[in-house]
Amino acid sequence: MVEEKKKKTAKQRPPRRSWLRRFGSVVKWVFILGILGLLFAGGAVAGYVTSIVKDDPVRSEELIQQQVSQNAITGFAYFRDGQPIGQLRTEEDRRLIEFNDIPQLVIDAVLAIEDNNFYEHVGIDVSGTLRAVKQKLLNESVQTGGSTLTQQLARRVFLNLDRTEDRKVKEILLSLRLERFLSKQEILTAYLNKVPFGNGSNGYNVYGIKAAAKGIFGLDDLDQLNVAQAAYLAGLPQLPSKYSAFNGVGEFNETAFGRAMERQKLVLRRMLEENKITTKQYNEALQFDIQASLAPHTKKAYATFPYLMLETERKAAEILLSINEDKNNPESTEGAEGSTASGNDTVLLEEARQQLMTGGYRVYTTIDKKVYSAMHSISEDSDNFTKDSDTRGKEQTAGMLIDNKTGAILGMIEGRDFNIEQMNYATQMIRQPGSTMKPIAAYLPALDSGLIQPASILDDAPIILKDGTKGFHIPKNANNRYQGLVTARYALNKSLNLPALKLFNDKVGIEESWAFTKKLGITTIQDDDYHAQTGVIGGLRYGVSVEELTNAYSSIGNNGAFNDAYMIEKIVDSQGKIIYQHKVNPEQVFSEQTAYLMTDMLRTVITEGTASTVKSTYKHFKEVPIVGKTGSTQNYGDVWFMGYTPDVTLGMWVGYKEQINTLQGDTQKRQAQTLWAKVMNAVIDKQPDLFVTKEFAQPEGIVKKTVSAYSGKLPTDLTDKFTTDLFNAKYVPQDSDDGISKAKYITYNGVNYLPLEGTPDDFLKEKIVVKREKPIQDLIKELQTAFEGMKEHESLQYYLPADAKTDFPTEVDPRVDDGTAPAPPGNVSVSYSTGKAVISFTASGSPDVVGYRLYRSLNGGAFQKQAVISAGESTVFKPGTPQNVNATFYVTAVDVAGHETASGSIAGGAAPTPEPTPTPETLPGAEATPEGSLPPDGTAEDPGMIIIQPPGAEEVPTGGVNNAGGGNSNAGSGNAQ
């Protein structure tokens, strides 16, 4: 019973499950865990991807289209005939191409090596990626990239090129998005416009298939590529620096070329495998000599024409800035070329320059290649220059050649060595112009307003200017003398400073002079210059540029019409649209008659004036007429020559980088003239077609007239000096000569005075004297007053003009009679020169001496008066007594009251061997030239020549005794620049 109870209370166990049920349970849980794992992994991946791209913007279709099509396109500069100067400054050479212009051969080569499933995938190629992984893991000899063309494009446009896992994820996502918004043609075209192909034969990095064909093979048309060349190019983008056949300066790199050839063979095999080429094409391509077809090595334009490329870049950027400003401000009236940026505009100018560098612009300049080369053949020849100085450096030069009719800059010399000094001395340097400013700021405005004509008389006598540091300043001429009354032509020929200063300050006036100068394109005149009385001879605050000064002179060659100089003819954008075209807009600043008169005056600067070096060096006088003006600054810190033909104007400057380093020696001081002539000779030889006009055409309204050399007016019976020159018919003088008068006077210390009562007649002179605007006596008073306020100055005699003795007397003789006879002269002696007696003595010590008398006795007879000399003139008599005459001489001193003292000694008395006495020459007198007829000698004279009385015929003392010494002549030559 107990056992039965136990059996009844025991727990009933369920039957055991089958193995099938157990397996199903395991699968179920594995599936559940797998799902959970996938969800977790997916979440982790999603989180990882999100963390990578969380900062990346979601790019819209518009943005993708914009950035994919955006390229930095290479720009180019051209000479005036369309020949290329070179590509604008950038390390990239990129030339865009449309899909329809890409040959199928190129597409096949690129896709065969880079992405043979391009048309099948949607941005990523799984099989290609797995293949690349396998090749990498097994280190196979042939390896292909796993990235599709779309991925490569996405990476280049939107991402950096660092090899990171983050970048790869972004690249894949971007590729999918690109494939969504872009067609396969757009993706392929963008890729072939953007990828790098290494260096071209000029050293630039070539980007895009078109630039690669040009830079590597010299081919402008992709259709000219053969199978071997297409395969060669297709292989380069994988590692362009490793495969580049040229280095950074365009030199051949044999090692890299060998690697590129191995890569080319791989491309060809892949093309054959993909049935893109036949076996025959494959074999022919392997046999093709790629190296022989490479483009020849060329230098970068910035190495060949460094100055010119930088100047083109600078001027074109200024034009783009002006265009941009006009778009933003349509009412702006500023011109394009020549505008400059300052202040906040500096940033805008840099932006415009970047726009120029990357926008694919084509800039057409006015530079003539032959002219430019001819000019540089002179500046690049070291034999044409002084040897470099350890202290002063390299002798520098700058030049500018401008077309007179248009203002186009045909050529320039920007400096001698770009590697030493990259500044353009022709356009950017500002230096003092010296005397080259005289025609621009003094003579031209004076001529045009009728204030002077070439025959007008100007007084080369001192002026006294106030000086804040020295008290007073008395300007000098370069030849350290003052020549008195001269014609305007002569003053310009000899580059005399004082006539120009008087025109500038007094006749024209500083205000009008600078207003006129600004009309001729000089933009560097400062407010301070309106107070600079010496500005016309180069005393400016800053100075002028070679370009602007040459431009101003070209207006004279263009008959008074000013064209603003320019170097950019037109700018074309990357679409072929002309966005800028220069328009010639001449402004008639002065008359044709003024221009012709100025030209004729500058002609005699060369033939008779300071430009003697040009005269002796220039070789084409018979074919091409020239005129010009010299210039130099104080101590020759700068030397200039501005000259022109009827067609072109050439300006030259020579100096050192620092103006304190001066030019030394006659060769350097005339270097601007020498180089000007050499440059002009070279330009005429190499580009004779520029010089079509054989003479300076004389306009209507120009006449020739003979006038008084004292006043520039019509001669009268008193007139005994004449000058014949050209006149603007509008300004021919109508008044008679009022610049002279007859007067009785006495000369003392080189100055004419009214005589005191009682002064002996034999010391008085009665002759024609000059009535100048400022009498010499007034000048002396001003000088003496100025001396009191000056620490340093020359003697009074230094400042008196050469013709002071001819001045009309306005003051009474300052000497006062002391009531007694003067002290006698001493040391009277006689000698003989060329058979004639020379009597010398020492002056009397009495202050009231008016002069000295010479007495002679022949053969012991009575003494008779032979000659007189005024006090201060000389202490030597030359009576002309022959040596074969037995003569005795003595000298007396005479005072202002007529008191005479005996000689302290008697000289002579010898009886040498007789010699024949030569017959004295008979000198003709002078007669006034009737109006409109020839001058007294009956011959036609050069314009500006002054006809004067012959020596000995102009001064006859009233006492009837021949005055010792020769006659007075007109002002001598100067040597100013």
Side-chain angles (χ1 to χ4, degrees), residues 765 805 873 878 950-955 963-969:
K765 302 170 185 176
K805 294 181 181 179
E873 286 186 348
K878 296 180 179 179
E954 60 176 332
E955 290 192 65
N963 186 292
N968 187 30
S969 62

Side-chain angles (χ1 to χ4, degrees), residues 510 514 525-533 535 539-542:
I510 296 179
W514 289 146
I525 302 300
Q526 304 296 307
D527 290 343
D528 291 350
D529 294 327
Y530 286 85
H531 306 289
Q533 294 174 290
L540 301 173
R541 173 72 182 274
Y542 296 120

Side-chain angles (χ1 to χ4, degrees), residues 105 109 224-234 264 267-268 271 276-278 281-286 288 290:
L105 174 63
Q224 296 176 315
L225 291 169
N226 60 31
V227 175
Q229 292 169 323
Y232 180 91
L233 294 179
Q264 182 229 26
V267 176
L268 289 171
M271 292 177 73
K276 300 303 181 182
I277 58 173
T278 65
Q281 289 176 307
Y282 173 77
N283 291 328
E284 288 176 347
L286 290 176
F288 182 76
I290 287 286

Side-chain angles (χ1 to χ4, degrees), residues 69 144 273 354 417 437 483 524 547 550 573 607 824 865 870 889 897 924 966:
S69 61
T144 57
E273 292 169 0
Q354 290 299 326
D417 193 334
M437 187 56 75
Q483 296 179 230
T524 51
E547 176 184 358
T550 306
D573 67 13
T607 59
K865 184 173 69 174
S870 294
F889 303 92

Side-chain angles (χ1 to χ4, degrees), residues 487-776:
T487 64
R489 179 186 293 273
Y490 183 89
L492 187 62
N493 284 353
K494 302 303 181 183
S495 200
L496 302 178
N497 288 335
L498 279 304
L501 287 170
K502 291 176 180 179
L503 289 175
F504 178 69
N505 285 281
D506 303 328
K507 290 186 177 293
V508 179
I510 296 179
E511 190 85 22
E512 290 299 319
S513 290
W514 289 146
F516 188 92
T517 300
K518 288 181 176 180
K519 290 181 182 179
L520 298 184
I522 304 296
T523 63
T524 51
I525 302 300
Q526 304 296 307
D527 290 343
D528 291 350
D529 294 327
Y530 286 85
H531 306 289
Q533 294 174 290
T534 58
V536 73
I537 59 175
L540 301 173
R541 173 72 182 274
Y542 296 120
V544 297
S545 70
V546 176
E547 176 184 358
E548 289 191 348
L549 189 56
T550 306
N551 196 190
Y553 271 81
S554 71
S555 68
I556 315 174
N558 195 34
N559 303 315
F562 172 74
N563 285 303
D564 199 11
Y566 70 103
M567 199 187 95
I568 307 301
E569 190 65 57
K570 66 178 178 178
I571 299 177
V572 180
D573 67 13
S574 60
Q575 305 301 315
K577 178 183 177 182
I578 297 176
I579 63 168
Y580 170 78
Q581 177 74 61
H582 180 81
K583 295 181 180 179
V584 176
N585 186 27
E587 178 187 355
Q588 196 72 37
V589 178
F590 49 95
S591 71
E592 293 183 20
Q593 291 75 22
T594 295
Y596 184 78
L597 293 176
M598 189 76 259
T599 293
D600 198 66
M601 292 171 73
L602 293 175
R603 171 183 63 83
T604 51
V605 169
I606 294 177
T607 59
E608 303 169 19
T610 56
S612 58
T613 301
V614 170
K615 181 179 179 180
S616 62
T617 310
Y618 180 65
K619 298 178 180 178
H620 297 278
F621 279 107
K622 292 183 179 180
E623 309 100 72
V624 181
I626 60 170
V627 304
K629 180 70 185 76
T630 56
S632 64
T633 56
Q634 189 172 13
N635 299 323
Y636 292 91
D638 309 88
V639 293
W640 301 75
F641 189 77
M642 292 285 145
Y644 56 92
T645 77
D647 299 298
V648 301
T649 298
L650 172 63
M652 291 295 300
W653 164 89
V654 175
Y656 287 96
K657 179 181 178 180
E658 303 294 338
Q659 192 175 24
I660 193 172
N661 295 322
T662 59
L663 299 164
Q664 301 173 1
D666 191 61
T667 298
Q668 278 197 312
K669 291 176 181 179
R670 294 179 174 271
Q671 186 72 295
Q673 294 187 51
T674 302
L675 292 178
W676 189 96
K678 288 183 177 181
V679 167
M680 189 60 77
N681 289 338
V683 171
I684 293 173
D685 290 340
K686 290 190 177 181
Q687 189 62 299
D689 294 343
L690 286 178
F691 305 90
V692 296
T693 310
K694 300 306 178 184
E695 62 179 7
F696 292 101
Q698 178 175 308
E700 294 183 358
I702 298 295
V703 297
K704 181 180 284 190
K705 204 76 173 175
T706 298
V707 295
S708 166
Y710 295 108
S711 62
K713 299 180 180 180
L714 300 178
T716 66
D717 292 340
L718 284 179
T719 306
D720 60 350
K721 293 183 182 180
F722 311 87
T723 183
T724 300
D725 214 321
L726 301 176
F727 286 81
N728 182 339
K730 184 178 177 181
Y731 299 118
V732 171
Q734 303 298 317
D735 298 330
S736 296
D737 187 6
D738 59 359
I740 53 176
S741 176
K742 271 194 174 181
K744 183 179 289 188
Y745 62 93
I746 190 166
T747 302
Y748 173 54
N749 286 337
V751 179
N752 296 337
Y753 291 97
L754 298 171
L756 294 168
E757 185 177 354
T759 299
D761 286 346
D762 55 349
F763 290 98
L764 302 183
K765 302 170 185 176
E766 186 173 12
K767 57 161 283 188
I768 295 173
V769 288
V770 177
K771 299 175 69 176
R772 60 211 315 150
E773 289 185 19
K774 177 176 288 185
I776 294 298

